[in-house]
């Protein structure tokens, strides 16, 4: 317990997770309100389909049964995503809401259906909360994983393995062979130096970049800064640095912690690109941890 308290990097990692959850909750709260409102709307349309048909001056309520069923199903999928908390799925919900909003605006303006003016008015009123949800959820997606008070995002990954810290450090500090465990890197090669100041090149397919070791503490942690300012740097990141550390749990148990801090080149990428990158990078880091665990245990 004392080691956990005295480990500043571990403290920062836990703090970052709290910040990440806070911003994730912004989008989660919006999605929860959206799901409740949408479910109520869907059930309401199903329950009062005949009455709505009268208001809209339609011959029967069948169209409202279809619309109500689709809306109810969409609401149930949102409740599922509230449990899974997948950023990519939340982005897809926002996109669907936006498409529904645009399609509804088109219908209200062009009036392609023979329904009453009251019906078109009700359609317009129905869009008001949807606009709120689109904005609220978009803000949550934009802020997701931000370190409070900065424009820097942070993602952390942890894994406890059954081995002592010395053995674990020997495996994870083999930075020249990082490509053997990282599925998103085809090759890594040390260009110059060792420990702090070491420079290595990494590649993935036709893309390549260089990284410089900015911190090295034996059997504790090391860090790399990626040269994102290189003219041929292939990814939409303004800055990127990673920290790898080991934390002793017991004489036969060690925690591996990977933390990445980064900024996107354009603000809009925080909302549109980050959920996709988060989804892909989480899979990559899980596989990387799996590979390390197999080597260690």
């Amino acid at each position: 317990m004392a080691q956990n308290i005295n480990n500043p990097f571990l403290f920062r990692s836990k703090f970052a997770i709290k910040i990440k959850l806070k911003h994730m909750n912004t989008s989660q709260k919006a999605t929860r309100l959206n799901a409740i409102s949408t479910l109520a709307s869907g059930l309401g349309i199903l329950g009062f389909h005949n009455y709505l048909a009268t208001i809209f001056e339609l011959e029967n309520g069948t169209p409202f049964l279809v619309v109500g069923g689709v809306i109810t199903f969409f609401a149930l999928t949102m409740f599922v995503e509230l449990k899974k908390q997948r950023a990519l799925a939340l982005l897809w919900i926002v996109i669907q809401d936006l498409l529904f909003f645009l399609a509804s605006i088109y219908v209200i303006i062009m009036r392609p259906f023979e329904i009453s003016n009251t019906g078109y008015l009700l359609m317009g009123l129905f869009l008001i909360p949807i606009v709120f949800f689109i904005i609220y959820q978009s803000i949550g997606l934009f802020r997701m994983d931000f370190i409070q008070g900065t424009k820097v995002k942070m993602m952390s990954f942890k894994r406890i393995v059954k081995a002592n810290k010395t053995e674990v450090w020997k495996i994870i500090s083999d930075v020249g062979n990082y490509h053997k465990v990282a599925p998103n890197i085809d090759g890594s090669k040390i260009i110059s130096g060792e420990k702090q100041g070491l420079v290595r090149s990494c590649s993935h397919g036709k893309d390549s970049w260089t990284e410089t070791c900015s911190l090295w503490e034996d059997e504790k942690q090391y860090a790399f800064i990626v040269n994102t300012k290189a003219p041929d740097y292939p990814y939409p990141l303004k800055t990127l640095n990673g920290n790898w550390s080991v934390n002793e749990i017991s004489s036969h148990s060690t925690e591996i912690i990977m933390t990445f801090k980064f900024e996107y080149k354009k603000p809009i990428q925080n909302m549109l690109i980050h959920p996709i990158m988060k989804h892909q990078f989480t899979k990559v880091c899980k596989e990387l941890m799996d590979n390390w665990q197999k080597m260690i245990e």
Side-chain angles (χ1 to χ4, degrees), residues 26 134 151 248 297:
T26 301
I134 291 173
K151 295 181 180 180
E248 185 177 60
E297 296 182 353

Side-chain angles (χ1 to χ4, degrees), residues 70-115:
V70 171
I71 291 176
T72 300
F73 176 77
F74 180 54
L76 294 176
T77 63
M78 282 192 280
F79 280 112
V80 172
E81 290 307 326
L82 282 170
K83 289 187 176 181
K84 295 184 177 181
Q85 296 189 14
R86 296 181 297 186
L88 189 59
L90 294 179
L91 175 62
W92 177 233
I93 289 173
V94 173
I95 292 173
Q96 289 180 88
D97 278 341
L98 182 59
L99 291 175
F100 179 81
F101 172 79
L102 294 176
S104 298
I105 289 295
Y106 172 82
V107 170
I108 292 172
I109 294 175
M110 301 305 295
R111 300 200 170 199
F113 306 116
E114 294 182 0
I115 61 178

Side-chain angles (χ1 to χ4, degrees), residues 20 87-88 91 138 140-147 150-155 157 226 228-229 233-241 260-282:
K20 179 183 74 172
L88 189 59
L91 175 62
S138 297
L141 285 173
F142 182 86
R143 293 177 177 175
M144 187 180 296
D145 296 319
F146 267 141
I147 300 174
T150 74
K151 295 181 180 180
V152 178
K153 288 186 179 290
M154 177 184 282
M155 294 176 62
F157 305 91
V226 178
T228 58
K229 293 180 174 57
Y233 182 69
Y235 304 114
L237 297 173
K238 183 179 178 181
T239 62
L240 170 61
N241 64 76
F260 300 91
K261 297 179 182 178
F262 51 94
E263 296 176 84
Y264 290 102
K265 291 181 178 179
K266 299 178 180 179
I268 191 65
Q269 293 169 333
N270 287 288
M271 186 181 76
L272 298 181
I273 300 297
H274 183 64
I276 300 172
M277 191 279 283
K278 182 181 177 75
H279 173 74
Q280 295 295 332
F281 197 59
T282 298

